C-alpha cells in the first residue's frame, strides 16, 4: 500500500498502517499548564510518527513510534473551543458509558469523568525503547502534564502473538481506504477516505478546516475474563452432526461460533465445523465471505455462522446487501495483562487484570464504534429481517439479560443466557489531529 494523493507525511501512522505492536504503551495525561504544554509540544512534534515513516524502509525508521490524541476536555484546556461536529466527542466517553451499556461501577476512577486530556501511544519491540521514549516525553513536557494512567499493552507470547486473550487471531479484517489502499484483499470492504479521515470526501459533517486528515479515536479498556470464558464454553460444549467431538472440541466449536471465526482466524462461514489454520493464515481467503450461500436462505440459515456472532454483528456484509460503507472503522487495539496462570485456570477465576486496550479510528464516532456497539452488538433484532431474533452479540454485546440464539447449529432455537466475559472498565473519545495541526492549531 501507498498513498496516491493523501499527504502521508502528515497523517499519524497508527490510523492506516498501525504502529509496531509487539509492545504498545498508552500514556494518559492531564494538562496542568497550557502555555508550557504548547511550548513543549512544538519541540516534540518531529517525534510524532507519520504514515509515510511507517511505510519507509525499516533501516530509516526510529526505534519506537509515537502518536498522540486529545480528548475534548484536553482541547478546552488548551483554549481550543471549536466545535468538532461530534456530540459524543464533546461530552466525553464517561457521559456516554450508560448509552453504550456499561455499568459505571466497573469504570476505573481515572476514566470516570473528563480528567484525561490526552494520550501518547508508543509502539515498539523492546521494553528499553518504551522506557527511553517515556523519559523523553516526561523531560520534554515536564510539569506541564501529569500521568493519569499507563497501560503497557503487548502482543501475547510465542504462537499466541496476534491473538487476543480468549485465543482468537485478531487484526484480520479492516476496511480498505479508497485513495490509500493499493491492494484490496478479497472480501475486504472499501470505504471512502472520509469514513476514516475527518473532512475528506465521505465525511459528511462540516468541521473546522484544521481537522483535515485527523480522526476520532475511540479508546476502550476492556477486561477479559478468560478462565470464566473457557469454563463456560466447556460447560456448554456443543456437538457436530456426526457426534464425534470431545468436550474440548465442542467448547472450541461453540466459542468459534460466538466469534464467527476459529482461533486461527479461519471464518466459520467458510469452514463451519473444524478449524482450518491454513485458511486462517491466508489473507487471500480468510476474509473472502459474506454469509450468503447459494441454496441457503440468508434470512434463516445459521448453520455456518450465527447471526449474533461477533464479526457478523460488527460487519454484517450480505445481511445488509454488502452495501454498507458508512459504519466502518479501523481497529488498532493491543492486548494487555499477563497470561492466565495455572491457579487462575484451575480455579476458573480471574485474579489478574487482563484484556484488550481497544482502539477504533473513524471520522464519525456515531457511525463507527458507537454504531457497531449500540445499534448492532447491543440490539437483539439486528441483523434485521431474520426469521428469528438474533440476540445480543455474545462477546461484547451489552444488555440484560445477554441472550442469543443460533449458537448451537443442531438446535438453533436454543436460547443462551451468556455471562459477561468482557467488562468495559474505562475509555475515552479522542481526536488524533494531523501532524501539521499539532503545530498550527494545538500548540499555537
Ligand atoms: C473482529 C475480538 C471488541 C468490532 C474481531 C475479531 C476478533 C475480535 C478475534 C476477528 C478478527 C478480525 O476480523 O480482525 C474482540 C475482542 C473484543 C472486541 C476480544 C473485546 C475484548 C470489539 C468492539 C467492537 C469490535 C467493542 C466494536 C464495537 C470488531 C469489528 C471486527 C472485529 C468491526 C471486524 C469484523 C469483520 O470485518 O469481519 N474482534 N473484539 N470488536 N471486531 Fe472485535
Amino acid at each position: 500500500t501507498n498513498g496516491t494523493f493523501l499527504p502521508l507525511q502528515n497523517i499519524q501512522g497508527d490510523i492506516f498502517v498501525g504502529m509496531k505492536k509487539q509492545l504498545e504503551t498508552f500514556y494518559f495525561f492531564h494538562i496542568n499548564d497550557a502555555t508550557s504544554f504548547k511550548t513543549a509540544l512544538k519541540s516534540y512534534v518531529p517525534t510524532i510518527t507519520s504514515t509515510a515513516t511507517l511505510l519507509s524502509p525499516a533501516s530509516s525508521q526510529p526505534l519506537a513510534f509515537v502518536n498522540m490524541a486529545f480528548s475534548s476536555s484536553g482541547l478546552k484546556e488548551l483554549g481550543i473551543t471549536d466545535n468538532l461536529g461530534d456530540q459524543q466527542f464533546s461530552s466525553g466517553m464517561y457521559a456516554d458509558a450508560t448509552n453504550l451499556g456499561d455499568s459505571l461501577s466497573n469504570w476505573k476512577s481515572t476514566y470516570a469523568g473528563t480528567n484525561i486530556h490526552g494520550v501518547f501511544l508508543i509502539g515498539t519491540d523492546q521494553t528499553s525503547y518504551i522506557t527511553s521514549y517515556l523519559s523523553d516525553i516526561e523531560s520534554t513536557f515536564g510539569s506541564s502534564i501529569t500521568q493519569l494512567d499507563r497501560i503497557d499493552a503487548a502482543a501475547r507470547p510465542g504462537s499466541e502473538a496476534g491473538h487476543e486473550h480468549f485465543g482468537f487471531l485478531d487484526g484480520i479484517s479492516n476496511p480498505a481506504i479508497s485513495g490509500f489502499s493499493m491492494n484490496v484483499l478479497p472480501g475486504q470492504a472499501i470505504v471512502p477516505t472520509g469514513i476514516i479521515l475527518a473532512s475528506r470526501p465521505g465525511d459528511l459533517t462540516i468541521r473546522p478546516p484544521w481537522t483535515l486528515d485527523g480522526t476520532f479515536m475511540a479508546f476502550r479498556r476492556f477486561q477479559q475474563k478468560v478462565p470464566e470464558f473457557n469454563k463456560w464454553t466447556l460447560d456448554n460444549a456443543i456437538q457436530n452432526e456426526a457426534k464425534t467431538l470431545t468436550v474440548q472440541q465442542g467448547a472450541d466449536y461453540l466459542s468459534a461460533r460466538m466469534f464467527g471465526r476459529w482461533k486461527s482466524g479461519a471464518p466459520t462461514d467458510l469452514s463451519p465445523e473444524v478449524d482450518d489454520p491454513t485458511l486462517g493464515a491466508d489473507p487471500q481467503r480468510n476474509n473472502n465471505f459474506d454469509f450468503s450461500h447459494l441454496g441457503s436462505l440468508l434470512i434463516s440459515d445459521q448453520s455456518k455462522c450465527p447471526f449474533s456472532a461477533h464479526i457478523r454483528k460488527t460487519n454484517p456484509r450480505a445481511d445488509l446487501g454488502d452495501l454498507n460503507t458508512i459504519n466502518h472503522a479501523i481497529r488498532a487495539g493491543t492486548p494487555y495483562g499477563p497470561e492466565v496462570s495455572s491457579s487462575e485456570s484451575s480455579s476458573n477465576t480471574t485474579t489478574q487484570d487482563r484484556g484488550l486496550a481497544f482502539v477504533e479510528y473513524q471520522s464519525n464516532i456515531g457511525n463507527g464504534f458507537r454504531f457497531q456497539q449500540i445499534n448492532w452488538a447491543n440490539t437483539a433484532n439486528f441483523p434485521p429481517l431474520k426469521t428469528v431474533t438474533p440476540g445480543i452479540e455474545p462477546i461484547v454485546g451489552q444488555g440484560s439479560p445477554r441472550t442469543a440464539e443460533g449458537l448451537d447449529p443442531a438446535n438453533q432455537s436454543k436460547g443462551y443466557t451468556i455471562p459477561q466475559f468482557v467488562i468495559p472498565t474505562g475509555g475515552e473519545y479522542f481526536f488524533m489531529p494531523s501532524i501539521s495541526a499539532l503545530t498550527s492549531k494545538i500548540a499555537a
Side-chain angles (χ1 to χ4, degrees), residues 164-175 220 222-224 259 261 265 287 289 291 310-312 314-315 317 327-329 331 355-356 358 360 368-374 377 395-396 421-423:
E164 52 70 49
H165 275 293
F166 294 134
F168 291 78
L169 184 63
D170 206 350
I172 302 168
S173 180
N174 269 316
R220 301 276 278 163
F222 286 124
Q223 186 189 42
Q224 291 177 253
F259 275 97
R261 288 190 187 269
N287 213 16
F289 61 93
F291 309 117
H310 182 68
I311 67 157
R312 191 162 186 171
T314 57
N315 182 9
R317 304 182 191 228
N327 305 112
H328 288 273
R331 289 173 304 123
L356 183 62
F358 173 88
E360 260 191 344
F369 160 70
R370 200 168 183 272
F371 204 89
Q372 294 173 359
Q373 181 70 56
I374 298 177
I395 306 297
V396 297
F421 301 115
V422 170
I423 320 277

Short mmCIF file of all heavy atoms in Angstrom, two decimals, residues 164-175 220 222-224 259 261 265 287 289 291 310-312 314-315 317 327-329 331 355-356 358 360 368-374 377 395-396 421-423, ligand 1:
data_model
loop_
_atom_site.label_atom_id
_atom_site.label_comp_id
_atom_site.label_asym_id
_atom_site.label_seq_id
_atom_site.Cartn_x
_atom_site.Cartn_y
_atom_site.Cartn_z
N GLU A 164 -5.91 -12.33 20.57
CA GLU A 164 -6.38 -11.66 21.80
C GLU A 164 -6.43 -12.70 22.92
O GLU A 164 -6.16 -13.88 22.69
CB GLU A 164 -7.70 -10.90 21.54
CG GLU A 164 -8.80 -11.70 20.89
CD GLU A 164 -9.35 -12.73 21.81
OE1 GLU A 164 -9.65 -12.36 22.95
OE2 GLU A 164 -9.47 -13.90 21.40
N HIS A 165 -6.81 -12.27 24.14
CA HIS A 165 -6.67 -13.17 25.28
C HIS A 165 -7.59 -14.39 25.27
O HIS A 165 -7.27 -15.40 25.90
CB HIS A 165 -6.80 -12.41 26.61
CG HIS A 165 -5.53 -11.78 27.08
ND1 HIS A 165 -4.44 -12.52 27.49
CD2 HIS A 165 -5.15 -10.48 27.18
CE1 HIS A 165 -3.46 -11.71 27.84
NE2 HIS A 165 -3.87 -10.46 27.66
N PHE A 166 -8.71 -14.35 24.59
CA PHE A 166 -9.53 -15.57 24.51
C PHE A 166 -8.90 -16.59 23.56
O PHE A 166 -9.36 -17.72 23.47
CB PHE A 166 -10.96 -15.26 24.05
CG PHE A 166 -11.77 -14.44 25.02
CD1 PHE A 166 -12.53 -13.36 24.57
CD2 PHE A 166 -11.80 -14.74 26.38
CE1 PHE A 166 -13.30 -12.59 25.46
CE2 PHE A 166 -12.55 -13.99 27.27
CZ PHE A 166 -13.30 -12.91 26.81
N GLY A 167 -7.90 -16.14 22.79
CA GLY A 167 -7.16 -17.06 21.94
C GLY A 167 -7.40 -16.88 20.45
O GLY A 167 -6.85 -17.63 19.64
N PHE A 168 -8.18 -15.87 20.06
CA PHE A 168 -8.56 -15.71 18.66
C PHE A 168 -7.66 -14.73 17.93
O PHE A 168 -7.37 -13.64 18.45
CB PHE A 168 -10.03 -15.26 18.57
CG PHE A 168 -10.97 -16.35 19.02
CD1 PHE A 168 -11.17 -16.60 20.38
CD2 PHE A 168 -11.60 -17.16 18.10
CE1 PHE A 168 -11.99 -17.64 20.80
CE2 PHE A 168 -12.43 -18.20 18.51
CZ PHE A 168 -12.63 -18.43 19.87
N LEU A 169 -7.25 -15.12 16.72
CA LEU A 169 -6.40 -14.23 15.92
C LEU A 169 -7.18 -12.95 15.65
O LEU A 169 -8.34 -12.98 15.26
CB LEU A 169 -6.03 -14.91 14.59
CG LEU A 169 -5.05 -14.11 13.71
CD1 LEU A 169 -3.70 -13.91 14.40
CD2 LEU A 169 -4.86 -14.81 12.36
N ASP A 170 -6.52 -11.82 15.87
CA ASP A 170 -7.17 -10.52 15.68
C ASP A 170 -6.45 -9.76 14.56
O ASP A 170 -5.42 -10.20 14.05
CB ASP A 170 -7.14 -9.75 17.01
CG ASP A 170 -8.27 -8.73 17.11
OD1 ASP A 170 -8.98 -8.49 16.10
OD2 ASP A 170 -8.45 -8.17 18.21
N GLY A 171 -7.02 -8.63 14.20
CA GLY A 171 -6.36 -7.79 13.20
C GLY A 171 -6.46 -8.34 11.78
O GLY A 171 -5.60 -8.05 10.95
N ILE A 172 -7.48 -9.13 11.50
CA ILE A 172 -7.61 -9.69 10.16
C ILE A 172 -8.40 -8.74 9.25
O ILE A 172 -7.94 -8.39 8.18
CB ILE A 172 -8.34 -11.06 10.20
CG1 ILE A 172 -7.59 -12.04 11.10
CG2 ILE A 172 -8.49 -11.62 8.78
CD1 ILE A 172 -8.39 -13.29 11.42
N SER A 173 -9.58 -8.36 9.71
CA SER A 173 -10.49 -7.62 8.83
C SER A 173 -10.57 -6.15 9.20
O SER A 173 -11.12 -5.80 10.24
CB SER A 173 -11.89 -8.24 8.89
OG SER A 173 -12.77 -7.54 8.04
N ASN A 174 -9.99 -5.31 8.36
CA ASN A 174 -10.17 -3.87 8.47
C ASN A 174 -10.55 -3.37 7.10
O ASN A 174 -10.18 -3.97 6.09
CB ASN A 174 -8.86 -3.20 8.92
CG ASN A 174 -8.77 -3.08 10.44
OD1 ASN A 174 -9.74 -2.71 11.09
ND2 ASN A 174 -7.62 -3.39 11.01
N PRO A 175 -11.29 -2.28 7.02
CA PRO A 175 -11.67 -1.79 5.68
C PRO A 175 -10.46 -1.27 4.91
O PRO A 175 -9.51 -0.76 5.50
CB PRO A 175 -12.65 -0.66 6.00
CG PRO A 175 -12.35 -0.25 7.40
CD PRO A 175 -11.87 -1.48 8.10
N ARG A 220 -11.19 2.07 24.40
CA ARG A 220 -11.93 1.32 25.42
C ARG A 220 -10.97 0.41 26.15
O ARG A 220 -10.15 -0.28 25.53
CB ARG A 220 -13.00 0.44 24.77
CG ARG A 220 -14.02 1.18 23.95
CD ARG A 220 -15.13 1.72 24.80
NE ARG A 220 -16.15 0.75 25.10
CZ ARG A 220 -17.04 0.93 26.09
NH1 ARG A 220 -17.01 2.00 26.85
NH2 ARG A 220 -17.98 0.03 26.29
N PHE A 222 -11.01 -2.82 27.99
CA PHE A 222 -11.88 -3.98 28.20
C PHE A 222 -11.15 -5.02 29.03
O PHE A 222 -10.11 -5.53 28.60
CB PHE A 222 -12.24 -4.65 26.87
CG PHE A 222 -13.25 -3.90 26.03
CD1 PHE A 222 -12.95 -3.53 24.73
CD2 PHE A 222 -14.51 -3.60 26.53
CE1 PHE A 222 -13.89 -2.88 23.93
CE2 PHE A 222 -15.46 -2.95 25.74
CZ PHE A 222 -15.14 -2.58 24.44
N GLN A 223 -11.72 -5.37 30.18
CA GLN A 223 -11.19 -6.51 30.91
C GLN A 223 -11.80 -7.78 30.32
O GLN A 223 -12.98 -7.80 29.97
CB GLN A 223 -11.54 -6.41 32.40
CG GLN A 223 -10.86 -7.51 33.19
CD GLN A 223 -11.34 -7.61 34.63
OE1 GLN A 223 -12.52 -7.51 34.92
NE2 GLN A 223 -10.40 -7.81 35.53
N GLN A 224 -11.00 -8.81 30.17
CA GLN A 224 -11.50 -10.09 29.66
C GLN A 224 -11.37 -11.17 30.74
O GLN A 224 -10.29 -11.38 31.29
CB GLN A 224 -10.72 -10.51 28.41
CG GLN A 224 -10.99 -9.62 27.21
CD GLN A 224 -10.16 -10.01 26.01
OE1 GLN A 224 -9.21 -9.31 25.67
NE2 GLN A 224 -10.47 -11.13 25.38
N PHE A 259 -17.64 -16.03 17.96
CA PHE A 259 -16.87 -15.02 17.22
C PHE A 259 -17.20 -14.99 15.73
O PHE A 259 -17.09 -13.95 15.09
CB PHE A 259 -15.36 -15.28 17.38
CG PHE A 259 -14.77 -14.67 18.61
CD1 PHE A 259 -14.58 -15.42 19.76
CD2 PHE A 259 -14.42 -13.33 18.63
CE1 PHE A 259 -14.04 -14.85 20.91
CE2 PHE A 259 -13.88 -12.75 19.77
CZ PHE A 259 -13.69 -13.52 20.91
N ARG A 261 -15.32 -16.77 13.86
CA ARG A 261 -14.01 -17.23 13.38
C ARG A 261 -13.47 -18.24 14.39
O ARG A 261 -13.74 -18.12 15.60
CB ARG A 261 -13.01 -16.07 13.26
CG ARG A 261 -13.28 -15.11 12.10
CD ARG A 261 -12.10 -14.15 11.93
NE ARG A 261 -12.36 -13.10 10.95
CZ ARG A 261 -12.07 -13.20 9.65
NH1 ARG A 261 -11.50 -14.29 9.17
NH2 ARG A 261 -12.32 -12.21 8.83
N GLY A 265 -8.28 -17.84 13.08
CA GLY A 265 -8.75 -16.78 12.20
C GLY A 265 -9.64 -17.29 11.07
O GLY A 265 -10.29 -16.50 10.39
N ASN A 287 -10.80 -13.58 4.46
CA ASN A 287 -11.84 -12.54 4.60
C ASN A 287 -12.82 -12.60 3.44
O ASN A 287 -13.66 -11.71 3.29
CB ASN A 287 -11.16 -11.17 4.65
CG ASN A 287 -11.89 -10.18 5.52
OD1 ASN A 287 -12.74 -10.56 6.35
ND2 ASN A 287 -11.59 -8.92 5.35
N PHE A 289 -15.72 -13.85 2.26
CA PHE A 289 -17.02 -14.47 2.53
C PHE A 289 -17.99 -13.35 2.84
O PHE A 289 -17.57 -12.22 3.14
CB PHE A 289 -16.92 -15.43 3.72
CG PHE A 289 -16.50 -14.74 5.00
CD1 PHE A 289 -17.45 -14.25 5.89
CD2 PHE A 289 -15.15 -14.54 5.30
CE1 PHE A 289 -17.06 -13.58 7.05
CE2 PHE A 289 -14.76 -13.86 6.46
CZ PHE A 289 -15.73 -13.39 7.33
N PHE A 291 -21.42 -14.43 4.23
CA PHE A 291 -22.51 -15.12 4.94
C PHE A 291 -23.61 -15.62 4.01
O PHE A 291 -24.54 -16.28 4.46
CB PHE A 291 -23.12 -14.27 6.08
CG PHE A 291 -22.11 -13.69 7.03
CD1 PHE A 291 -21.95 -12.31 7.15
CD2 PHE A 291 -21.29 -14.52 7.78
CE1 PHE A 291 -21.01 -11.77 8.02
CE2 PHE A 291 -20.34 -13.98 8.65
CZ PHE A 291 -20.20 -12.60 8.77
N HIS A 310 -19.74 -12.30 16.75
CA HIS A 310 -19.02 -11.03 16.87
C HIS A 310 -18.75 -10.37 15.52
O HIS A 310 -19.06 -9.20 15.31
CB HIS A 310 -17.70 -11.26 17.63
CG HIS A 310 -16.91 -10.01 17.87
ND1 HIS A 310 -17.34 -9.01 18.72
CD2 HIS A 310 -15.71 -9.59 17.37
CE1 HIS A 310 -16.43 -8.04 18.73
NE2 HIS A 310 -15.44 -8.37 17.92
N ILE A 311 -18.18 -11.12 14.59
CA ILE A 311 -17.79 -10.47 13.32
C ILE A 311 -18.99 -10.24 12.40
O ILE A 311 -18.89 -9.45 11.46
CB ILE A 311 -16.71 -11.26 12.56
CG1 ILE A 311 -17.25 -12.60 12.06
CG2 ILE A 311 -15.45 -11.44 13.40
CD1 ILE A 311 -16.44 -13.15 10.88
N ARG A 312 -20.11 -10.92 12.70
CA ARG A 312 -21.29 -10.71 11.84
C ARG A 312 -22.07 -9.48 12.32
O ARG A 312 -22.55 -8.68 11.52
CB ARG A 312 -22.16 -11.96 11.86
CG ARG A 312 -23.26 -11.94 10.81
CD ARG A 312 -23.80 -13.33 10.56
NE ARG A 312 -24.76 -13.31 9.46
CZ ARG A 312 -25.28 -14.38 8.88
NH1 ARG A 312 -24.93 -15.59 9.32
NH2 ARG A 312 -26.14 -14.27 7.89
N THR A 314 -20.70 -6.96 13.91
CA THR A 314 -19.91 -5.74 13.76
C THR A 314 -19.55 -5.44 12.30
O THR A 314 -19.03 -4.37 12.00
CB THR A 314 -18.61 -5.79 14.60
OG1 THR A 314 -17.86 -6.96 14.22
CG2 THR A 314 -18.92 -5.85 16.09
N ASN A 315 -19.82 -6.39 11.40
CA ASN A 315 -19.65 -6.15 9.95
C ASN A 315 -20.59 -7.10 9.22
O ASN A 315 -20.18 -8.19 8.81
CB ASN A 315 -18.19 -6.39 9.53
CG ASN A 315 -17.99 -6.10 8.03
OD1 ASN A 315 -18.89 -5.57 7.37
ND2 ASN A 315 -16.83 -6.45 7.52
N ARG A 317 -21.94 -7.49 6.35
CA ARG A 317 -21.73 -7.96 4.96
C ARG A 317 -23.06 -8.16 4.23
O ARG A 317 -23.85 -7.22 4.15
CB ARG A 317 -20.85 -9.22 4.97
CG ARG A 317 -19.50 -8.96 5.69
CD ARG A 317 -18.57 -10.15 5.70
NE ARG A 317 -17.45 -9.88 6.60
CZ ARG A 317 -16.17 -10.08 6.31
NH1 ARG A 317 -15.82 -10.60 5.15
NH2 ARG A 317 -15.23 -9.79 7.19
N ASN A 327 -20.65 2.39 8.24
CA ASN A 327 -20.44 2.02 9.64
C ASN A 327 -19.17 1.18 9.82
O ASN A 327 -19.19 0.08 10.38
CB ASN A 327 -21.67 1.31 10.18
CG ASN A 327 -22.92 2.15 9.99
OD1 ASN A 327 -23.80 1.81 9.21
ND2 ASN A 327 -23.00 3.28 10.67
N HIS A 328 -18.09 1.73 9.31
CA HIS A 328 -16.80 1.04 9.41
C HIS A 328 -15.81 1.89 10.20
O HIS A 328 -15.92 3.12 10.24
CB HIS A 328 -16.23 0.78 8.01
CG HIS A 328 -16.95 -0.30 7.26
ND1 HIS A 328 -16.63 -1.62 7.37
CD2 HIS A 328 -17.98 -0.23 6.39
CE1 HIS A 328 -17.42 -2.35 6.59
NE2 HIS A 328 -18.27 -1.53 5.98
N ALA A 329 -14.85 1.23 10.77
CA ALA A 329 -13.79 1.91 11.49
C ALA A 329 -12.55 1.03 11.38
O ALA A 329 -12.66 -0.15 11.03
CB ALA A 329 -14.19 2.08 12.96
N ARG A 331 -9.61 -0.86 13.29
CA ARG A 331 -9.29 -1.34 14.64
C ARG A 331 -7.78 -1.43 14.81
O ARG A 331 -7.08 -1.89 13.91
CB ARG A 331 -9.92 -2.71 14.88
CG ARG A 331 -11.44 -2.64 15.02
CD ARG A 331 -12.05 -4.00 15.10
NE ARG A 331 -11.67 -4.78 13.94
CZ ARG A 331 -11.05 -5.95 14.00
NH1 ARG A 331 -10.77 -6.51 15.15
NH2 ARG A 331 -10.72 -6.58 12.89
N GLY A 355 -6.82 -7.99 29.40
CA GLY A 355 -7.90 -7.67 28.47
C GLY A 355 -7.36 -7.05 27.20
O GLY A 355 -6.27 -7.39 26.72
N LEU A 356 -8.14 -6.13 26.68
CA LEU A 356 -7.81 -5.52 25.40
C LEU A 356 -7.83 -4.00 25.54
O LEU A 356 -8.81 -3.43 26.02
CB LEU A 356 -8.85 -5.96 24.35
CG LEU A 356 -8.64 -5.50 22.91
CD1 LEU A 356 -7.34 -6.04 22.32
CD2 LEU A 356 -9.81 -5.94 22.03
N PHE A 358 -8.50 -1.44 23.51
CA PHE A 358 -9.21 -1.41 22.23
C PHE A 358 -9.15 0.00 21.64
O PHE A 358 -9.40 0.99 22.33
CB PHE A 358 -10.67 -1.82 22.49
CG PHE A 358 -11.59 -1.70 21.31
CD1 PHE A 358 -11.74 -2.75 20.42
CD2 PHE A 358 -12.34 -0.54 21.11
CE1 PHE A 358 -12.61 -2.65 19.33
CE2 PHE A 358 -13.22 -0.44 20.02
CZ PHE A 358 -13.35 -1.49 19.13
N GLU A 360 -10.42 2.16 18.06
CA GLU A 360 -11.01 2.24 16.72
C GLU A 360 -10.91 3.67 16.21
O GLU A 360 -11.20 4.61 16.93
CB GLU A 360 -12.49 1.78 16.72
CG GLU A 360 -12.66 0.36 16.21
CD GLU A 360 -14.09 -0.08 15.93
OE1 GLU A 360 -15.06 0.57 16.37
OE2 GLU A 360 -14.24 -1.09 15.25
N GLY A 368 -19.29 4.96 13.52
CA GLY A 368 -18.28 3.92 13.63
C GLY A 368 -18.46 3.11 14.90
O GLY A 368 -19.46 2.39 15.06
N PHE A 369 -17.50 3.23 15.82
CA PHE A 369 -17.53 2.44 17.06
C PHE A 369 -18.91 2.41 17.71
O PHE A 369 -19.44 1.36 18.07
CB PHE A 369 -16.50 2.99 18.06
CG PHE A 369 -16.80 2.56 19.47
CD1 PHE A 369 -16.63 1.24 19.85
CD2 PHE A 369 -17.31 3.48 20.40
CE1 PHE A 369 -16.96 0.83 21.14
CE2 PHE A 369 -17.64 3.07 21.67
CZ PHE A 369 -17.47 1.74 22.05
N ARG A 370 -19.51 3.60 17.86
CA ARG A 370 -20.73 3.69 18.64
C ARG A 370 -21.89 2.97 17.95
O ARG A 370 -22.74 2.35 18.61
CB ARG A 370 -21.05 5.17 18.83
CG ARG A 370 -21.97 5.45 19.97
CD ARG A 370 -22.00 6.94 20.26
NE ARG A 370 -22.85 7.17 21.40
CZ ARG A 370 -24.15 7.36 21.32
NH1 ARG A 370 -24.75 7.37 20.15
NH2 ARG A 370 -24.86 7.55 22.42
N PHE A 371 -21.92 3.05 16.65
CA PHE A 371 -22.98 2.36 15.90
C PHE A 371 -22.81 0.85 16.02
O PHE A 371 -23.77 0.12 16.27
CB PHE A 371 -22.92 2.79 14.43
CG PHE A 371 -24.22 2.64 13.71
CD1 PHE A 371 -25.16 3.66 13.70
CD2 PHE A 371 -24.54 1.45 13.05
CE1 PHE A 371 -26.37 3.51 13.06
CE2 PHE A 371 -25.75 1.30 12.39
CZ PHE A 371 -26.67 2.33 12.40
N GLN A 372 -21.58 0.41 15.87
CA GLN A 372 -21.31 -1.03 15.98
C GLN A 372 -21.69 -1.56 17.37
O GLN A 372 -22.24 -2.65 17.50
CB GLN A 372 -19.83 -1.32 15.70
CG GLN A 372 -19.42 -1.01 14.27
CD GLN A 372 -17.91 -1.12 14.04
OE1 GLN A 372 -17.15 -1.41 14.97
NE2 GLN A 372 -17.47 -0.89 12.82
N GLN A 373 -21.40 -0.76 18.40
CA GLN A 373 -21.68 -1.22 19.76
C GLN A 373 -23.18 -1.16 20.08
O GLN A 373 -23.76 -2.14 20.54
CB GLN A 373 -20.90 -0.36 20.77
CG GLN A 373 -21.11 -0.79 22.22
CD GLN A 373 -20.46 -2.13 22.53
OE1 GLN A 373 -19.27 -2.30 22.35
NE2 GLN A 373 -21.24 -3.10 22.99
N ILE A 374 -23.78 0.02 19.85
CA ILE A 374 -25.16 0.22 20.31
C ILE A 374 -26.17 -0.37 19.32
O ILE A 374 -27.02 -1.18 19.69
CB ILE A 374 -25.43 1.72 20.55
CG1 ILE A 374 -24.51 2.26 21.65
CG2 ILE A 374 -26.91 1.94 20.93
CD1 ILE A 374 -24.65 3.74 21.93
N ALA A 377 -24.24 -4.54 18.09
CA ALA A 377 -23.92 -5.57 19.09
C ALA A 377 -24.98 -5.66 20.20
O ALA A 377 -25.37 -6.74 20.62
CB ALA A 377 -22.54 -5.29 19.70
N ILE A 395 -19.95 -11.71 22.74
CA ILE A 395 -18.63 -11.34 23.28
C ILE A 395 -18.69 -9.95 23.91
O ILE A 395 -18.40 -9.79 25.10
CB ILE A 395 -17.54 -11.38 22.17
CG1 ILE A 395 -17.52 -12.74 21.45
CG2 ILE A 395 -16.16 -11.03 22.74
CD1 ILE A 395 -17.16 -13.91 22.32
N VAL A 396 -19.08 -8.94 23.16
CA VAL A 396 -19.04 -7.57 23.67
C VAL A 396 -20.42 -6.91 23.75
O VAL A 396 -20.53 -5.77 24.18
CB VAL A 396 -18.12 -6.64 22.83
CG1 VAL A 396 -16.70 -7.14 22.88
CG2 VAL A 396 -18.61 -6.50 21.40
N PHE A 421 -18.29 -11.75 29.77
CA PHE A 421 -16.87 -12.10 29.82
C PHE A 421 -15.97 -10.91 29.48
O PHE A 421 -14.76 -10.98 29.64
CB PHE A 421 -16.57 -13.26 28.88
CG PHE A 421 -17.37 -14.50 29.20
CD1 PHE A 421 -18.31 -14.99 28.30
CD2 PHE A 421 -17.18 -15.16 30.41
CE1 PHE A 421 -19.05 -16.12 28.61
CE2 PHE A 421 -17.93 -16.29 30.72
CZ PHE A 421 -18.87 -16.78 29.81
N VAL A 422 -16.56 -9.86 28.92
CA VAL A 422 -15.81 -8.65 28.57
C VAL A 422 -16.42 -7.50 29.35
O VAL A 422 -17.60 -7.20 29.20
CB VAL A 422 -15.87 -8.38 27.05
CG1 VAL A 422 -15.30 -7.01 26.73
CG2 VAL A 422 -15.12 -9.46 26.27
N ILE A 423 -15.61 -6.89 30.22
CA ILE A 423 -16.11 -5.84 31.09
C ILE A 423 -15.47 -4.51 30.70
O ILE A 423 -14.25 -4.36 30.85
CB ILE A 423 -15.74 -6.11 32.57
CG1 ILE A 423 -15.88 -7.59 32.92
CG2 ILE A 423 -16.52 -5.20 33.52
CD1 ILE A 423 -17.22 -8.08 33.27
C1 LIG B 1 -13.22 -8.53 14.66
C2 LIG B 1 -12.00 -9.73 19.19
C3 LIG B 1 -14.26 -5.76 20.86
C4 LIG B 1 -15.51 -4.59 16.35
C5 LIG B 1 -12.72 -9.21 15.74
C6 LIG B 1 -12.04 -10.49 15.69
C7 LIG B 1 -11.70 -10.81 16.96
C8 LIG B 1 -12.16 -9.76 17.82
C9 LIG B 1 -10.96 -12.07 17.41
C10 LIG B 1 -11.77 -11.30 14.43
C11 LIG B 1 -10.51 -10.92 13.76
C12 LIG B 1 -10.63 -9.86 12.70
O1 LIG B 1 -11.56 -9.89 11.90
O2 LIG B 1 -9.77 -8.98 12.67
C13 LIG B 1 -12.52 -8.76 20.03
C14 LIG B 1 -12.39 -8.77 21.47
C15 LIG B 1 -13.02 -7.65 21.94
C16 LIG B 1 -13.53 -6.94 20.79
C17 LIG B 1 -11.70 -9.86 22.28
C18 LIG B 1 -13.18 -7.14 23.34
C19 LIG B 1 -12.45 -7.54 24.36
C20 LIG B 1 -14.85 -5.15 19.78
C21 LIG B 1 -15.72 -4.00 19.87
C22 LIG B 1 -16.08 -3.68 18.60
C23 LIG B 1 -15.42 -4.62 17.71
C24 LIG B 1 -16.13 -3.30 21.15
C25 LIG B 1 -16.98 -2.56 18.12
C26 LIG B 1 -17.99 -2.08 18.84
C27 LIG B 1 -14.94 -5.53 15.51
C28 LIG B 1 -15.02 -5.44 14.07
C29 LIG B 1 -14.37 -6.59 13.58
C30 LIG B 1 -13.90 -7.34 14.74
C31 LIG B 1 -15.65 -4.34 13.25
C32 LIG B 1 -14.17 -6.98 12.12
C33 LIG B 1 -15.40 -7.67 11.59
C34 LIG B 1 -15.23 -8.03 10.13
O3 LIG B 1 -14.91 -7.14 9.36
O4 LIG B 1 -15.43 -9.19 9.79
N1 LIG B 1 -12.79 -8.80 17.05
N2 LIG B 1 -13.21 -7.64 19.66
N3 LIG B 1 -14.70 -5.51 18.46
N4 LIG B 1 -14.26 -6.66 15.88
FE1 LIG B 1 -13.79 -7.18 17.76
#
